Amino acid sequence: MKQEHILIVEDEPSILYTLKEALLLSDYQVSTAQTLEEAKKSLSSNLDLILLDLNLPDGQGFSFCETVCSANRIPVIILTALDEDTDIIRGLDLGADDYVTKPFKLAVLLSRIAAVLRRSKQSPKESDLLSCQDILLNRTDTSVFFQGSPVTLTVGEYRLLEYLLINKNRTLTRDMLLAHLWDAEGKYVNDNTLTVMIKRLRSKLTSDSKQPIQTVRGIGYKLEDKLEDKLEIKNED
Ligand code: CA
């Protein structure tokens, strides 16, 4: 049994049905979504691949591909009737791993899926230890340290910090952050909640001289590693 978990985002019922049946027959676990909204709700950390139609009733798949898929590092294959080069290039630029234009042969799609899954397994695992300046986050036991002292974070604050650390030295827009964060009940957080989360996280990760989480005016936030601020490793033995 392969049991890799694939999310199909496709609004055309007949294509969705055909794909779902074909994937189930190939021993994949399958979830489906017919809109971007449903797709966002179906996102979870145990997804191995997303098949993404670009023309959906509530918008284009491009932004979903950018803000959600690449941020969550889930491989994406674009399914599209738009066989124009510009759309394909745009999709690949936004982090998609491959594309298939409609109408497609199922056998071709299945072999592309297998290839993308194989590649994604070969890519190195993200590190368990993330750090920036005086912040250290250990993903194996979800502990966080600031200037050597343990810090207690809420689940939301932890996810926010982890995401900033994974993308350190890169500006994250508020939209990217909103697409990546959900609360304890599994609901996406809203803009106000994000502002509060940033504020609380900052209050826990600030010293007199340092404010690691920078505001990029009008865009979002950034955690920046500066060479002179590298964490000093104390040898206490
Ligand atoms: Ca469509």
Side-chain angles (χ1 to χ4, degrees):
M1 292 281 271
K2 290 196 271 263
Q3 281 302 335
E4 279 134 330
H5 190 177
I6 299 179
L7 170 65
I8 310 169
V9 186
E10 168 64 67
D11 61 322
E12 175 58 51
S14 63
I15 299 177
L16 184 61
Y17 178 81
T18 309
L19 279 175
K20 186 180 173 183
E21 291 303 303
L23 292 178
L24 287 173
L25 270 175
S26 301
D27 287 334
Y28 291 110
Q29 216 183 311
V30 180
S31 299
T32 61
Q34 291 186 268
T35 60
L36 289 173
E37 199 53 44
E38 280 177 29
K40 282 184 189 173
K41 286 185 189 141
S42 304
L43 278 179
S44 76
S45 57
N46 63 15
L47 280 178
D48 296 296
L49 179 84
I50 297 174
L51 296 179
L52 177 67
D53 177 31
L54 286 180
N55 274 324
L56 292 157
D58 52 350
Q60 292 263 309
F62 289 117
S63 61
F64 180 79
C65 190
E66 182 182 29
T67 60
V68 183
C69 302
S70 66
N72 286 278
R73 307 207 169 179
I74 302 168
V76 180
I77 296 179
I78 292 173
L79 299 175
T80 178
L82 312 164
D83 57 354
E84 288 184 20
D85 292 349
T86 48
D87 288 313
I88 291 164
I89 290 165
R90 187 171 167 203
L92 295 175
D93 278 350
L94 292 176
D97 293 81
D98 204 351
Y99 66 92
V100 176
T101 50
K102 297 178 198 170
F104 50 80
K105 291 199 172 86
L106 267 178
V108 172
L109 179 63
L110 288 172
S111 82
R112 297 258 181 114
I113 288 172
V116 168
L117 286 172
R118 218 163 36 234
R119 280 205 301 273
S120 80
K121 276 191 197 133
Q122 282 163 356
S123 64
K125 283 253 171 220
E126 286 165 33
S127 167
D128 285 334
L129 276 182
L130 301 172
S131 70
C132 183
Q133 298 191 39
D134 294 352
I135 303 165
L136 186 68
L137 182 149
N138 186 344
R139 299 168 108 185
T140 42
D141 60 4
T142 67
S143 60
V144 175
F145 294 84
F146 180 62
Q147 298 188 328
S149 305
V151 179
T152 307
L153 300 181
T154 64
V155 175
E157 289 161 4
Y158 178 87
R159 281 192 64 89
L160 173 60
L161 178 63
E162 183 186 42
Y163 187 56
L164 285 164
L165 284 166
I166 289 170
N167 294 286
K168 78 176 170 184
N169 301 326
R170 179 178 166 202
T171 300
L172 297 173
T173 65
R174 290 185 69 90
D175 279 348
M176 290 168 90
L177 290 166
L178 289 170
H180 188 76
L181 297 170
W182 48 87
D183 61 19
E185 283 139 40
K187 292 191 185 120
Y188 275 86
V189 304
N190 62 31
D191 211 52
N192 290 337
T193 312
L194 175 61
T195 305
V196 173
M197 281 166 81
I198 290 276
K199 208 171 177 178
R200 293 210 179 123
L201 189 57
R202 272 184 170 155
S203 74
K204 294 176 182 181
L205 303 174
T206 302
S207 65
D208 292 342
S209 57
K210 284 178 189 159
Q211 173 54 270
I213 302 171
Q214 297 175 20
T215 300
V216 183
R217 199 175 292 270
I219 300 173
Y221 303 95
K222 178 159 83 166
L223 255 184
E224 201 161 30
D225 221 351
K226 295 180 188 123
L227 208 58
E228 66 268 27
D229 288 335
K230 277 257 159 49
L231 186 67
E232 277 177 45
I233 296 166
K234 289 179 196 147
N235 190 346
E236 295 184 338
D237 290 331

